[in-house]
Amino acid sequence: MKKTRLICFCFTLAFLSFTGLNSQTLKKKSKNPALFTNAVYQGNDQVYKDFPLEAGEFYTPILQGCYPDPAITRKGDDYYMVCSSFAMFPGVPIFHSKDLVNWTDLGGVLDNIEEFNPHDTGISAGVYAPGITYNPHNDTFYMIVTAFTGGLGNIIVKSKDPKQGWGSPIKLDFGGIDPSIFFDDDGKGYIVHNDAPDRGKELYNGHRVIKMWEYDVENDKVIPGTDKIIVDGGVDITKKPIWIEAPHLYKKDGSYYLMCAEGGTGGWHSEVIFKSDSPKGPFIPAPSNPILTQRYFGKDRNNKVDWAGHADLVEGPNGKYYGVFLAVRPNEENRVNTGRETFILPVDWSGDYPVFENGLIPLEPKLEMPKGVENKTGQNGFLPNGNFTYTENFTSDKLDYRWIGLRGQREDFIETTKNGLEIHPFETNIKEVKPTSTLFYRQQHRTFTFSTTLDYTPKSEKDLAGVVALQNEGSNFVFGVTKKDKDFYLVLEKNRWPNRRGQIISEVLASTKIDLKNPIKLKISANGDKYEFSYSTDGTTFKSLGGTLSGDILSTDVAGGFTGCLLGLYATNGNNIVPAE
């Protein structure tokens, strides 16, 4: 009898497992998916034409597009770097290199939707400003970050091998943002982070402090009562410095160094350094601060790089130090549609304090290679930079990590087939703060084209498929195919916030009837601030819809927030765009 019950129980479990898998698959599948047979991104910035690489050179930024707030660590000759991802999924993109020049994409650290789920957050919330540190005392990597979703707050995750994945988030009991962790020679751990001043002691808007906690390495928690303010305000509080943040702690030649961003992400951004004989301070600022900034130079300089700061240091090949940091490359209207990107510079640490080499003059697009390193960017799986073309035919079983979801995992709505990529649409509209059935690729150049071939016939006015250019849920363009009565239309809609608290204003800029007997090609093009949306029904000749438009709403200075422009393959059953004709 027990054996019979056991067999029945096992059969029931197998049946439930089988039907559960099928229900998930059926949930993802729809009767009318949008089929994208290819996607091509081509960058064509003038700066890379004007500054071609010579032997022994490489380009910076090393990560183009919205990859801000870099942090870096090293184990042997393996380098790992993480960046902010906000509400994009998976969270906290991570990269690997052997030489600081050639990087491979390992996906995201927070890749379990059950543990990190930014489903209900604005695009600039989610998770940001990570730190990553290798602890040689227990041969373990630590990634620490602030998550603005699911009540997580500050969390830490661990891994023995970042290439093989990470453990579950461990919630830490402290507030503030921008945490990083440091392990001393004696094995003790310390966490430093940005926080508000003690209650009643805020002196001005933007007044922040850097706080330190001792860390219990055995039990993975901060030690209650050990918190201490180690920097108040910034380098010189009498000058009312703003937004001291993104702290990192280092030890060199017996001394402790605290490096922080100061001035806020924007035109006054900078990197500053402090020194102490103890990890608990007092920390004395360097007399030559800042050690990195672009704030002192003319606004109209050629090939401008701006907002430099939020940095991290690592010892590179041959004992030479390097620093990774965020900066922006504004277009001719001083807008930052590519978002904050990851740059790198060599660092001179021959004196008492580290200084970014050429970090206090206008930044150049090229650097000398570390000795003995060969530039393989864009080859053999290494990420490209400079001008490049990326072609995706969606034929691989494993989709490239550069394609990401927003507020949810891409696997919930995509399916690769022998004919291309199917997007099974959600009812979510791109303007909603919910997971969207949109596969995104970051804009990585000021001048670019992004095109795709779409095979899709909408069944109702609620159906739409096409492409989007998106900075956030209230600042985007939608360019796609829908239906009105018995006719099919190609529509171009602009969605914008009149202010950050107002209702989204939606405007149909143009629409045209279209024959869908054959697949249609859709293309987004940009030349600096000028964007154009065009289509082709014969595969070669493109027609513009809506003419040349300003890309202002795709820039942080207009749209707000912290992200850059995302280019997406989009399908929805929640369309509300009504063709103008």
Side-chain angles (χ1 to χ4, degrees), residues 188-209:
K188 289 184 178 180
Y190 301 88
I191 286 176
V192 289
H193 65 94
N194 162 298
D195 210 341
D198 290 340
R199 183 172 296 181
K201 294 186 178 181
E202 183 176 356
L203 301 179
Y204 52 87
N205 185 32
H207 177 199
R208 302 290 287 181
V209 304

Side-chain angles (χ1 to χ4, degrees), residues 177-178 194 210 243-247 259-262 264-265 269 310:
I177 60 172
D178 293 14
N194 162 298
I210 300 300
W243 294 107
I244 190 77
E245 58 190 354
M259 191 173 73
C260 307
E262 188 182 283
T265 291
H269 208 199
H310 200 121

Side-chain angles (χ1 to χ4, degrees), residues 377-396:
T377 54
Q379 308 170 36
N380 303 320
F382 294 113
L383 291 171
N385 65 358
N387 284 335
F388 60 84
T389 298
Y390 169 59
T391 300
E392 178 61 77
N393 293 317
F394 303 114
T395 55
S396 174

